[in-house]
Amino acid sequence: MTTLMLILLLVIFSAVVILIWAKIKGKSIPTLVIAMLIFMGICFAGIIAFVNKGEDYQAYQTLNWQPLEPEKIATYVEQGNIVFVDITADWCVPCQTNKANVLHREQVVNQLNQQHIILMQGNWTQADTVIEQYMGQQAAAGTPFNKIYGSSYPEGIELPKVLIIDDVYRALALVVK
């Protein structure tokens, strides 16, 4: 598909060059047609660049999420691990946004896939007493909820509701100091 898109981009810019050459030779070619083709080519090039950032959009499938077990968090931290807790729900739009913009991004997935990081997820799509009790202990009202526990922060660092990649990086750096 990338090859096809690049060929189409080459055709657009070739057409621009041919039309400019024809206009110079005296043909009656409207300047607006040339300008529109240039604009279309630039827009199309931007789309190609955006779509082909070189990122693996399926990398998140390698994350090994365990079910939320709050009673195990302290033990994991005492053993020198970092615990990343994600409370999410299928109906939660901010949760899905956090996944798309941060948690499913290849660079974050690479950080979270380190051997000493335990991933725990509570999916609150359906009622769940374990999640309800955990959220009550955290005094958290609802989803999304993310918290990172580590040796320097055994009580954890709560991340903002709207995540950015740097939030995850900063919290991970703090919990291992």
Side-chain angles (χ1 to χ4, degrees):
M1 178 142 170
T2 303
T3 306
L4 184 61
M5 293 187 329
L6 290 174
I7 291 170
L8 184 57
L9 185 62
L10 181 64
V11 167
I12 291 172
F13 282 118
S14 297
V16 168
V17 170
I18 291 168
L19 289 173
I20 290 173
W21 182 76
K23 187 168 180 84
I24 291 171
K25 292 292 184 182
K27 296 282 185 188
S28 177
I29 310 276
T31 305
L32 183 59
V33 170
I34 296 171
M36 289 305 292
L37 275 175
I38 291 171
F39 178 74
M40 284 176 43
I42 291 169
C43 289
F44 196 66
I47 291 169
I48 291 171
F50 177 77
V51 170
N52 295 308
K53 288 191 283 189
E55 187 169 341
D56 179 4
Y57 293 105
Q58 304 305 313
Y60 74 92
Q61 294 175 345
T62 65
L63 293 173
N64 185 23
W65 291 101
Q66 299 178 18
L68 177 67
E69 296 180 272
E71 68 279 359
K72 291 185 176 182
I73 293 173
T75 305
Y76 285 139
V77 171
E78 288 170 6
Q79 293 170 348
N81 293 301
I82 294 171
V83 178
F84 185 99
V85 172
D86 177 40
I87 305 298
T88 186
D90 293 346
W91 43 260
C92 171
V93 174
C95 299
Q96 304 314 314
T97 302
N98 284 346
K99 287 176 187 174
N101 291 340
V102 179
L103 299 177
H104 287 185
R105 297 291 301 274
E106 183 178 18
Q107 59 190 346
V108 174
V109 168
N110 291 340
Q111 287 292 314
L112 296 178
N113 266 336
Q114 294 180 48
Q115 198 161 11
H116 65 286
I117 298 180
I118 310 290
L119 303 174
M120 287 191 175
Q121 189 172 66
N123 189 331
W124 215 353
T125 302
Q126 303 292 326
D128 185 306
T129 55
V130 172
I131 296 172
E132 288 172 21
Q133 289 172 355
Y134 174 77
M135 295 295 277
Q137 292 167 350
Q138 301 301 313
T143 58
F145 182 82
N146 297 102
K147 198 165 189 178
I148 300 178
Y149 300 84
S151 57
S152 342
Y153 286 87
E155 295 302 314
I157 298 173
E158 186 176 336
L159 299 177
K161 295 279 185 201
V162 177
L163 289 178
I164 60 172
I165 292 172
D166 286 343
D167 293 333
V168 175
Y169 286 169
R170 274 192 288 267
L172 286 171
L174 285 172
V175 297
V176 292
K177 286 186 179 180

